[in-house]
Amino acid sequence: MPPTRDPSTDIFRILRWPLALTRLGMAAERLARAFWPLWSIVIFALALLMLGVQDEVAVEWVWAAGAVLGAGALWAIWYGARRFRWPSRAAAVLRLDATLRGNPIQASLDTQAIGGGDAASTAVWRAHQTRMRSRLAEARAVEPDLRVSRNDPLALRYVALLTLSVAILFGSLVRVQSVTGMGAGGPDLAQGPAWEGWMQPPAYTRLPSVYLNDITAASIEAPEGAEITLRMYGEVGALTIRENVSGRDLTPDAAQDTAQDFAVLRSGELAVDGPGGRLWQIAMIPDAAPTVKRDGEIEVSYEGEAQIPYTATDDHGVVTGAARFVLDLDAVDRRYGRTIAPEQRKMIEVPLSMPVSGNRADFANALVGNFSLHPWANLPVKLTLEVEDGRGQKGLSEPEALTLPGRRFFDPVAAALIEQRQSLLWNRENAAMIVQIFKAILNEPEDLFRKDVEQLRLRTLTTRLELLATYGAITDEKQGALAQAMWDLALSMEEGDLQDALERLQRARERLEEAMKNGASDQEIAELMQELREATDDYMRQLSRQQAQDNPEGQQMDPQNMIQMSQDDIQRMMDKIQELMEQGRMAEAQEAMRQLQEMLDNMQMTQGPGGGGQSPGEQAMEGLADTLREQQELSDESFRDLNDGQRGQGDRQPGQGQPGPQDRQPGQGEGGRDPGQGDGGDLAGDLAERQRALRDELNRQRQALPGQGTEAGERAAEALERADGAMDGAERALRDGDLAEAIDRQSSAMEALREGMRNLGEALAEQQQQRTGEQGFAQGGDPAQQRDPLGRNSGNTGRVGTDEGLLQGQDVYRRAEELLGELRKRSGELDRPEEERNYLDRLLERF
């Protein structure tokens, strides 16, 4: 009887290749997991050699690192040998069987445990094995899992791979060959020394780097400041450097250094002496210093904004610049308030605006700034411009004598205020003289002031200045506050109200008509036309403001009795007038001007029914104005009483026998008088009673204050609350006989009252605008004519935006310059988030 054949032989013959490949894959998995420290160390060491780290450190460090890496490699071999086990065939069978349906390999190798004597059971078993063996043909080698993340949780292998990637990109196999004497560099490179060299021009030149090994020409042009890097490989001393372009003292020992770094500072010779050496003649391209000069006429706007043009040049481009203004004391008119020496002030230094895009090697630009508030405004100064290039070289312009541009005032009282403001800022010792001038102005003020509130503000300012000057208490902070108060008052008087704007408009129209009749030049007519445009814009603004104040409730009058005009209508009319004048059709231009004047004269402000009564807003403003006037009168009486008390005590100054404000005890008046003694006490008590009554009146007005619910209304309420507190302090000081303290408190109350009136006017204007917008929609207004906060038509389709220009004329360039300057300033603020600064840089690159 022949021997029974083992069925497993046929099974393993069918699975021979899938099983062998699966077993090899398992071996690869175990090799990777066991020896990953070894190949990580080897890769890391190779990367260090390719990067040339051995050339940058002493040889002792190289040997030490080699010893450490060698010890690490031996440990890695021992670690891998302990962990590696060759996979058995049984493990490979289990791996392969797990990938097949129903584990056919194990089923084919099994034997029937029970039912062997039953023919039916045996037939079923054989059919099952036949089906399982047919599935063996589907067996495929299992792919190995080479991930070692569980064995390397710190991912140290990726550090080695990253270092190798950097070395492949920026390193060189030559460096490895110089250490190992092996590699793909050829027999000559392996047997002898080698060198590499680079020339890196300064970044601001925007020139590319040069690989010196590729330069076979005898001469090289190099920009001044170019960095040359040379590296020698092989035996030390086999290659030496010889150069005279850097200006350094190159000793024989230094010439043999394997790492050479120096800058090109002059023309000369550069040589690599030795096998495969090279010689070049270096022609240095000098970097010229930048130049800058003032060029063109200085333009000053009505508001005092100056445009100072200049030109700048540099061979590689200007990086930054600054303008410096220094007072030209020799050219100053030293009369009146400038007879004494001025207070020391720093020079004015402002950065020059640079072109955002384009070439900065040769450009023209303008310094835009408003110096009207500076103490040197409209005084002789010397201007010096300075620019700097990328190398740090600076160029200066010749000092130019000019008048520091600033706003000019044409109203006589406003001009006098600005002149005295400049005297105060010139030297605070002029305060006594300024007080005398202000008192002379206030002596007969009826024909000098258009509004009583302006006279009251000047009286308050005079009282405060005299009090501070008397006690020598004009600090830097108070000097600045007084100067700002003078500026605000002068600006209010200069710009005026609706009547002033109308008079200015009429003057501009008359001047233009006279110029047209007399055959003025085109330039003069253009300037007068621009003046007419500005006067018309001012008139429209004042008209809108007056309408908001006179009609805070937004009530409409009969449309048949009202002519409505928009700013666009007026601009179109003036464009038509200018076009007619440019065409020489003066008669038609005069007729168009007459029509424009009639339209402006016929404009009516919206009034409530009846048109004769005052609105609550008007009543509140008038009541606050009366309170302010009475407070001013009370402060004047207190000041006169203070002066009378001082004259009664003689000419003694505080600290010379007469107690000053800081020396008086509570309950004492000026000169140490007891307020309860004699007439002084009666007068102080009478002033205190009047102050209390005035405070009660203010509290009554605060109860029905309009403009509630708006931000400006809240600010008005807070200002009036501060005025109430100041009045309360003034009353207590009057009862204590401390007139100096009372005057100071009264001044604070008047300042708070003025601030409250300003805020109340803004609140009334906001309410008027809101009601006007609501009534426009409620009365069937065309939504297409509604405008967004930028003044654009929002459209009737939900589209946000417009095709119409937001700026016209000369303002577009000024506004663009302001926006670009703001972008440059914000992009240079390092405290801003990096994402925001990157966005700003992209904007600057685009525009």
Side-chain angles (χ1 to χ4, degrees):
M1 183 175 179
T4 304
R5 185 175 180 179
D6 188 0
S8 62
T9 303
D10 296 334
I11 295 173
F12 287 122
R13 181 175 55 81
I14 297 172
L15 300 175
R16 179 179 56 181
W17 288 111
L19 190 60
L21 294 176
T22 300
R23 195 172 182 184
L24 288 176
M26 296 176 65
E29 290 178 4
R30 297 186 181 186
L31 280 172
R33 294 169 182 171
F35 289 96
W36 72 266
L38 178 62
W39 57 257
S40 297
I41 293 174
V42 172
I43 289 176
F44 185 71
L46 178 62
L48 293 180
L49 293 175
M50 292 177 65
L51 289 172
V53 177
Q54 70 278 3
D55 298 330
E56 305 293 335
V57 298
V59 67
E60 291 80 4
W61 286 103
V62 176
W63 283 108
V68 172
L69 292 174
L74 292 176
W75 173 84
I77 293 174
W78 171 80
Y79 175 85
R82 284 192 57 189
R83 288 181 173 269
F84 179 74
R85 295 292 183 272
W86 188 263
S88 64
R89 190 175 72 169
V93 169
L94 291 176
R95 171 74 68 86
L96 182 60
D97 195 24
T99 62
L100 300 175
R101 293 178 300 153
N103 300 105
I105 300 176
Q106 187 64 39
S108 300
L109 295 176
D110 285 345
T111 58
Q112 186 176 3
I114 58 175
D118 186 356
S121 177
T122 301
V124 172
W125 173 253
R126 288 177 180 175
H128 170 67
Q129 283 196 320
T130 301
R131 186 166 57 251
M132 290 296 103
R133 287 173 183 174
S134 64
R135 292 183 181 179
L136 296 179
E138 301 175 0
R140 298 290 184 273
V142 181
E143 294 183 2
D145 182 8
L146 300 179
R147 293 176 296 180
V148 294
S149 55
R150 296 182 60 183
N151 300 78
D152 181 20
L154 299 179
L156 298 178
R157 65 195 183 281
Y158 290 125
V159 176
L161 290 174
L162 176 62
T163 308
L164 180 61
S165 300
V166 174
I168 293 173
L169 291 174
F170 304 104
S172 174
L173 287 174
V174 176
R175 294 165 177 165
V176 181
Q177 296 158 10
S178 67
V179 177
T180 63
M182 302 171 56
D188 295 337
L189 188 60
Q191 296 175 4
W195 64 274
E196 281 186 302
W198 301 267
M199 183 180 69
Q200 178 65 49
Y204 60 84
T205 64
R206 296 178 178 85
L207 296 175
S209 300
V210 177
Y211 187 55
L212 295 179
N213 296 63
D214 294 338
I215 305 300
T216 58
S219 62
I220 302 176
E221 289 187 347
E224 184 178 2
E227 293 287 338
I228 292 181
T229 301
L230 294 171
R231 295 293 181 265
M232 277 68 70
Y233 312 111
E235 182 181 356
V236 177
L239 295 174
T240 58
I241 299 300
R242 179 164 43 89
E243 60 89 9
N244 57 4
V245 297
S246 65
R248 58 178 180 162
D249 186 13
L250 192 62
T251 62
D253 292 338
Q256 298 181 8
D257 290 343
T258 58
Q260 300 277 347
D261 298 280
F262 53 90
V264 177
L265 300 180
R266 62 191 179 191
S267 299
E269 187 178 81
L270 170 64
V272 179
D273 296 330
R278 206 77 58 86
L279 173 65
W280 300 281
Q281 294 296 327
I282 304 296
M284 188 197 73
I285 304 174
D287 187 353
T291 61
V292 62
K293 66 177 181 178
R294 261 266 305 113
D295 189 17
E297 295 294 330
I298 299 177
E299 298 181 2
V300 184
S301 68
Y302 174 75
E303 292 80 9
E305 183 179 74
Q307 293 189 6
I308 305 176
Y310 69 93
T311 58
T313 60
D314 186 66
D315 45 5
H316 295 294
V318 176
V319 176
T320 184
R324 298 183 178 92
F325 298 87
V326 180
L327 181 65
D328 189 1
L329 195 58
D330 295 336
V332 175
D333 184 359
R334 300 298 299 273
R335 294 180 298 171
Y336 310 117
R338 291 189 283 271
T339 55
I340 60 178
E343 297 180 0
Q344 293 296 325
R345 295 189 183 275
K346 296 181 180 179
M347 65 178 177
I348 305 174
E349 182 172 356
V350 292
L352 291 177
S353 57
M354 296 286 118
V356 177
S357 59
N359 188 10
R360 292 189 182 182
D362 188 359
F363 66 93
N365 211 335
L367 168 65
V368 180
N370 195 326
F371 307 97
S372 301
L373 289 174
H374 197 274
W376 299 342
N378 298 314
L379 289 181
V381 294
K382 288 186 177 180
L383 169 63
T384 303
L385 303 179
E386 179 185 87
V387 291
E388 182 177 344
D389 63 7
R391 188 171 174 78
Q393 301 178 110
K394 297 181 179 180
L396 293 174
S397 67
E398 291 294 330
E400 179 182 5
L402 51 84
T403 299
L404 184 64
R407 176 165 183 165
R408 295 188 178 276
F409 290 79
F410 301 98
D411 181 87
V413 180
L417 277 170
I418 293 302
E419 183 179 355
Q420 299 314 310
R421 172 185 180 273
Q422 199 170 57
S423 296
L424 179 64
L425 294 175
W426 180 270
N427 195 313
R428 65 197 71 191
E429 294 180 6
N430 288 325
M433 178 194 67
I434 297 172
V435 170
Q436 292 179 356
I437 295 175
F438 284 171
K439 286 184 176 180
I441 295 174
L442 294 171
N443 185 36
E444 294 182 359
E446 290 77 12
D447 298 331
L448 298 178
F449 297 92
R450 290 185 296 268
K451 293 179 289 187
D452 291 341
V453 67
E454 294 173 352
Q455 176 186 347
L456 291 174
R457 290 175 64 180
L458 183 57
R459 286 187 181 276
T460 303
L461 186 60
T462 304
T463 302
R464 184 180 180 189
L465 181 60
E466 184 175 13
L467 182 62
L468 293 174
T470 301
Y471 293 104
I474 304 179
T475 62
D476 292 342
E477 181 180 358
K478 292 182 178 179
Q479 183 188 35
L482 290 169
Q484 185 62 43
M486 292 182 188
W487 175 269
D488 294 339
L489 179 55
L491 195 63
S492 174
M493 297 181 67
E494 178 72 16
E495 293 184 348
D497 53 12
L498 180 60
Q499 184 63 31
D500 302 323
L502 181 58
E503 293 176 359
R504 180 188 173 196
L505 176 60
Q506 292 173 348
R507 287 196 304 269
R509 180 178 57 81
E510 292 172 358
R511 291 178 61 187
L512 181 57
E513 290 178 347
E514 189 68 23
M516 293 167 59
K517 293 178 182 178
N518 297 333
S521 64
D522 295 341
Q523 179 66 23
E524 291 175 335
I525 290 179
E527 293 178 356
L528 293 173
M529 189 65 197
Q530 181 62 28
E531 181 183 356
L532 178 62
R533 288 179 183 271
E534 294 175 356
T536 305
D537 293 341
D538 186 27
Y539 176 72
M540 294 296 292
R541 286 194 301 268
Q542 296 288 354
L543 185 63
S544 176
R545 185 183 308 168
Q546 187 70 29
Q547 180 179 0
Q549 293 178 355
D550 293 344
N551 187 22
E553 301 300 327
Q555 297 172 345
Q556 299 293 328
M557 64 177 295
D558 187 359
Q560 296 180 355
N561 299 327
M562 180 179 61
I563 298 178
Q564 295 182 350
M565 294 179 60
S566 67
Q567 190 74 17
D568 294 336
D569 297 331
I570 297 176
Q571 291 296 335
R572 281 193 293 269
M573 284 287 295
M574 288 194 290
D575 291 340
K576 180 181 178 181
I577 294 171
Q578 186 167 5
E579 182 180 356
L580 292 172
M581 288 190 298
E582 292 174 353
Q583 295 174 358
R585 300 155 63 182
M586 296 301 178
E588 297 180 31
Q590 290 181 358
E591 178 62 22
M593 286 186 59
R594 186 188 62 78
Q595 295 175 3
L596 174 62
Q597 185 62 36
E598 289 180 356
M599 295 171 66
L600 292 174
D601 292 341
N602 291 332
M603 291 181 67
Q604 299 184 21
M605 294 174 291
T606 306
Q607 297 179 355
Q614 283 188 324
S615 66
E618 292 176 336
Q619 296 175 0
M621 293 291 288
E622 184 175 347
L624 290 176
D626 292 340
T627 303
L628 178 60
R629 185 181 300 107
E630 293 177 9
Q631 181 65 73
Q632 177 65 53
E633 294 174 356
L634 184 60
S635 179
D636 291 344
E637 292 188 23
S638 301
F639 186 72
R640 284 194 296 269
D641 185 53
L642 176 63
N643 288 339
D644 292 341
Q646 290 176 346
R647 285 193 295 269
Q649 293 296 325
D651 297 331
R652 291 173 298 173
Q653 299 296 327
Q656 297 178 355
Q658 176 183 343
Q662 70 275 15
D663 300 323
R664 293 192 301 269
Q665 299 298 324
Q668 283 186 322
E670 291 296 315
R673 291 181 299 144
D674 188 344
Q677 297 175 358
D679 296 337
D682 295 338
L683 179 59
D686 180 62
L687 294 176
E689 288 298 325
R690 290 175 58 188
Q691 184 67 72
R692 183 183 61 78
L694 196 60
R695 181 186 173 212
D696 293 341
E697 175 62 20
L698 177 62
N699 287 329
R700 185 191 64 78
Q701 295 172 353
R702 290 171 57 195
Q703 300 301 321
L705 193 68
Q708 300 294 330
T710 63
E711 182 179 355
E714 295 296 330
R715 293 198 304 268
E718 293 175 0
L720 295 182
E721 184 177 357
R722 292 196 303 271
D724 177 75
M727 289 182 177
D728 182 55
E731 180 187 350
R732 291 198 301 269
L734 288 171
R735 295 190 185 280
D736 294 339
D738 191 351
L739 294 179
E741 175 66 18
I743 293 173
D744 189 57
R745 292 284 187 173
Q746 289 169 345
S747 297
S748 300
M750 287 185 288
E751 290 293 335
L753 283 171
R754 279 192 289 269
E755 182 181 352
M757 293 177 66
R758 286 195 299 269
N759 293 327
L760 180 58
E762 294 176 6
L764 297 177
E766 289 179 8
Q767 287 185 344
Q768 167 65 15
Q769 292 174 0
Q770 292 175 0
R771 293 191 181 95
T772 302
E774 293 171 359
Q775 291 177 357
F777 282 105
Q779 296 173 3
D782 184 3
Q785 298 303 320
Q786 301 301 323
R787 294 181 176 266
D788 65 6
L790 295 179
R792 305 174 298 181
N793 288 331
S794 59
N796 55 4
T797 61
R799 178 176 65 89
V800 177
T802 179
D803 295 330
E804 60 183 291
L806 297 182
L807 292 172
Q808 274 100 41
Q810 58 184 4
D811 287 343
V812 65
Y813 302 104
R814 177 181 59 80
R815 182 57 177 162
E817 180 66 28
E818 292 176 355
L819 292 176
L820 290 175
E822 184 67 19
L823 288 176
R824 286 194 294 269
K825 185 188 75 171
R826 295 191 181 188
S827 65
E829 295 175 353
L830 300 180
D831 55 343
R832 292 185 176 274
E834 184 178 358
E835 294 80 0
E836 180 180 351
R837 287 190 283 113
N838 292 337
Y839 172 70
L840 294 174
D841 291 339
R842 290 195 298 272
L843 285 180
L844 289 174
E845 290 175 0
R846 181 174 181 182
F847 298 104

